[in-house]
Amino acid sequence: PCKMEPGHYFFIDGRDEEWPEGSLLSVIAWFEGEKRKIIWQRQVEEGGPREMPSFQHSYQVLGSLTQMKMIPMKATRGLRNVFEYSTRFGLQSYETFQFVRDNDRDQTIYPARTMPKSTSVPVRGPDAAGSKNFFAVSGRQGERLQLRLEVADGHVVVSAIVSSGTRTWHSQEGRNRRRYYVAGNWAERGILMSQDSENPDRYWAKMTMASRPGRAEFQIWIDEDPHRALFPEAPNGSSGGCMVGGPGVSDNKFVIDGYAGASFEICLDLKSSHKWRTVTWTKLPDQIALW
């Protein structure tokens, strides 16, 4: 045991497994020789959770409409976990916004892509990865704008209500709540990684080496967002040869060396037992032309 360091906490996240609100958890800590270990697991209750948590989160809105200050949202009377904020459009007739939970910028709720034009863009968070992503809505100067945030069982609904109508964005649950793309110097757009059918924490993508220069550089971007990149902590990262940093911004890239036409399979293993092997790749067999 030692003095607690500010900001150092264990983080329990049941969203991938879609644990329902009110799930009962057991936390076990023990010493094994000089090693200290801790695990937690969900306790399944017959008939579902028997009680809801008594703790009530607070939510704040920030953006152009608040001059980037966190302003508390009001809980809607008679509705559980529904929060609202009302204001009016300013001179630009265009406002941007995102949400924060419990006044903690590491718990931001944001769109998968900043300034989404379509409501099909999913809501992400709360987490620390989307501080640069904002929702956007337009209207007339002086027109009333009402923002609504609904949270239930990990599902987040964001609504922007104006006189001309309502724009609504939804989150995605389970492991679908994020997508991974390989962003490399051989392609103009990122390559969506496929999820392994047997190991849902493993993602893969194939690439073929260009004719020149025989070297491929890449990062892995969450939701095609360069501000949420996974990258090697050391420059020119090799397969399984370094720790993986992020999500964040970095000039560091993974590097694949090979000859023109060689194909590789890039793998992202989020639950790898060896942290150095979170990002790896293997060369695929050459295809033999049949004449």
Side-chain angles (χ1 to χ4, degrees):
C2 60
K3 183 179 179 181
M4 180 177 174
E5 294 287 340
H8 287 215
Y9 300 94
F10 292 102
F11 180 62
I12 301 176
D13 191 343
R15 288 176 291 182
D16 282 351
E17 288 74 22
E18 299 186 58
W19 291 350
E21 182 181 7
S23 293
L24 179 64
L25 305 179
S26 63
V27 180
I28 304 172
W30 74 97
F31 285 91
E32 193 171 284
E34 295 183 356
K35 295 182 179 179
R36 290 161 288 184
K37 296 188 175 182
I38 184 170
I39 62 171
W40 52 83
Q41 56 191 9
R42 177 189 171 209
Q43 301 295 322
V44 179
E45 300 174 273
E46 185 176 351
R50 299 175 183 175
E51 59 181 294
M52 292 293 106
S54 58
F55 179 78
Q56 181 68 57
H57 289 287
S58 65
Y59 293 89
Q60 297 74 40
V61 60
L62 78 158
S64 63
L65 44 74
T66 67
Q67 298 181 336
M68 295 306 296
K69 297 178 181 178
M70 287 191 286
I71 304 298
M73 302 182 73
K74 293 183 178 180
T76 304
R77 178 179 294 183
L79 296 176
R80 190 170 184 273
N81 293 331
V82 178
F83 301 83
E84 296 182 339
Y85 175 80
S86 295
T87 186
R88 295 186 181 277
F89 284 96
L91 294 174
Q92 301 297 325
S93 300
Y94 185 83
E95 301 292 354
T96 61
F97 60 94
Q98 58 181 203
F99 304 98
V100 172
R101 188 172 74 171
D102 299 334
N103 291 287
D104 183 358
R105 293 297 298 270
D106 286 343
Q107 300 187 59
T108 300
I109 296 173
Y110 55 93
R113 298 178 183 176
T114 192
M115 312 294 186
K117 295 181 180 180
S118 170
T119 54
S120 64
V121 174
V123 179
R124 301 298 197 220
D127 58 45
S131 61
K132 296 183 180 296
N133 286 20
F134 290 83
F135 297 96
V137 63
S138 58
R140 301 186 307 274
Q141 180 182 348
E143 182 181 4
R144 186 172 182 268
L145 168 63
Q146 182 180 15
L147 303 180
R148 171 176 288 190
L149 178 67
E150 305 172 50
V151 183
D153 269 344
H155 185 71
V156 181
V157 181
V158 173
S159 299
I161 305 167
V162 296
S163 60
S164 59
T166 301
R167 301 193 71 194
T168 302
W169 296 267
H170 291 263
S171 66
Q172 294 175 323
E173 275 59 66
R175 289 172 174 80
N176 290 328
R177 62 192 178 91
R178 61 174 76 86
R179 292 186 176 184
Y180 298 93
Y181 291 78
V182 174
N185 60 351
W186 66 87
E188 294 182 359
R189 297 190 62 181
I191 301 173
L192 176 63
M193 303 188 78
S194 300
Q195 188 178 47
D196 192 304
S197 59
E198 297 182 358
N199 181 357
D201 292 309
R202 184 182 183 274
Y203 298 80
W204 59 272
K206 294 181 180 179
M207 62 81 61
T208 300
M209 191 71 65
S211 58
R212 293 184 180 180
R215 165 173 282 209
E217 300 178 345
F218 72 93
Q219 295 179 333
I220 295 177
W221 292 355
I222 301 175
D223 295 328
E224 281 192 292
D225 185 351
H227 296 104
R228 291 184 284 155
L230 303 180
F231 50 84
E233 292 193 346
N236 302 322
S238 59
S239 177
C242 58
M243 296 287 285
V244 176
V249 178
S250 175
D251 292 328
N252 291 351
K253 294 180 174 62
F254 298 100
V255 174
I256 304 176
D257 290 312
Y259 52 85
S263 296
F264 294 82
E265 182 178 277
I266 300 170
C267 174
L268 169 66
D269 189 347
L270 299 173
K271 296 291 180 66
S272 173
S273 58
H274 195 315
K275 296 305 180 184
W276 286 58
R277 298 191 61 79
T278 300
V279 175
T280 58
W281 53 88
T282 55
K283 182 180 176 302
L284 299 175
D286 292 332
Q287 294 184 353
I288 301 176
L290 300 176
W291 301 94

